[in-house]
Amino acid sequence: MRVGDENRLVTKRYQASASQIIETKNLLLGASRGGDIDGLYAFLGDRQAMRYTHVDPSYAACRKRILVHEWFRRRDGFVPWVIRQKSDHQIVGWGGIYTDPFDPGWGPEIGYYFHPDVWGRGFGGELVTTALWQAEHQYALPELTAFAHPENIPSRRLLEKYGFAMCDFVKSMNRYRFKRVF
């Protein structure tokens, strides 16, 4: 599958442990497994790392969120991927396309959560590029929504770089809502 952006990223698909893995230049994207919760909770449960978004207050809450999202894979065909660094297979993030089961009504969204150790390394762009390709070509979604906290300037810039336009401010979430139409 060819993913088109200014860097002309190429991703490959292959089978690993009966789940599809998507490979980008630096990342491996795939479904979560039970053993991934420790690696995900390391940053999804970190209040400082997740200060602009949802933080899981406990290991059990993180596990529940991941499992509920995986259940939605059967319904929608897409949920956030576990993001691994290709070089060492370490979990460095969680994100992609999803319909939020905990805050429904916004339609398909794109979201991304990365471990602070990899912030600023371009992984968000690789993830967003791949997710946009899938949204348009694999799932034929008419649009995607995204949210960004007013103080999260890097996230807002990333969304705008990939064609998302700011729509409005959602007071109840303290987030700007962005939309990208295909």
Side-chain angles (χ1 to χ4, degrees):
M1 159 178 62
R2 186 175 241 5
V3 176
D5 79 340
E6 64 276 2
N7 298 322
R8 303 298 293 171
L9 294 176
V10 176
T11 63
K12 301 176 190 174
R13 295 168 183 252
Y14 58 91
Q15 294 298 317
S17 305
S19 66
Q20 185 180 56
I21 302 293
I22 299 172
E23 181 179 339
T24 70
K25 180 180 176 187
N26 296 296
L27 304 173
L28 300 171
L29 312 171
S32 65
R33 301 180 303 252
D36 294 335
I37 305 300
D38 287 341
L40 293 167
Y41 184 62
F43 59 93
L44 293 176
D46 180 333
R47 289 197 186 285
Q48 181 60 24
M50 297 293 110
R51 67 188 174 275
Y52 296 130
T53 188
H54 173 85
V55 62
D56 289 319
S58 68
Y59 181 89
C62 182
R63 182 177 183 275
K64 177 183 177 182
R65 179 161 62 135
I66 303 302
L67 292 175
V68 169
H69 273 281
E70 280 300 323
W71 185 85
F72 269 57
R73 184 181 305 281
R74 289 181 226 130
R75 186 190 80 176
D76 298 334
F78 50 81
V79 298
W81 295 298
V82 171
I83 305 166
R84 296 176 186 278
Q85 194 166 248
K86 194 187 318 187
S87 62
D88 60 9
H89 292 231
Q90 292 297 308
I91 294 173
V92 296
W94 189 61
I97 308 166
Y98 60 94
T99 304
D100 194 336
F102 301 101
D103 193 9
W106 299 104
E109 299 179 28
I110 189 166
Y112 37 84
Y113 312 87
F114 286 97
H115 193 288
D117 290 350
V118 299
W119 289 353
R121 294 183 51 192
F123 292 170
E126 285 187 44
L127 173 73
V128 170
T129 298
T130 304
L132 289 175
W133 190 95
Q134 283 204 320
E136 184 175 9
H137 299 288
Q138 184 172 347
Y139 300 113
L141 298 175
E143 64 185 30
L144 278 178
T145 299
F147 296 93
H149 189 279
E151 295 176 23
N152 192 346
I153 304 301
S155 186
R156 291 171 49 193
R157 286 183 182 150
L158 179 68
L159 292 170
E160 290 169 347
K161 177 180 178 179
Y162 288 95
F164 284 83
M166 189 183 304
C167 299
D168 55 11
F169 184 76
V170 181
K171 276 187 181 182
S172 63
M173 296 172 72
N174 190 30
R175 305 279 186 282
Y176 287 112
R177 182 172 64 99
F178 291 77
K179 187 187 296 188
R180 183 166 191 288
V181 178
F182 295 100

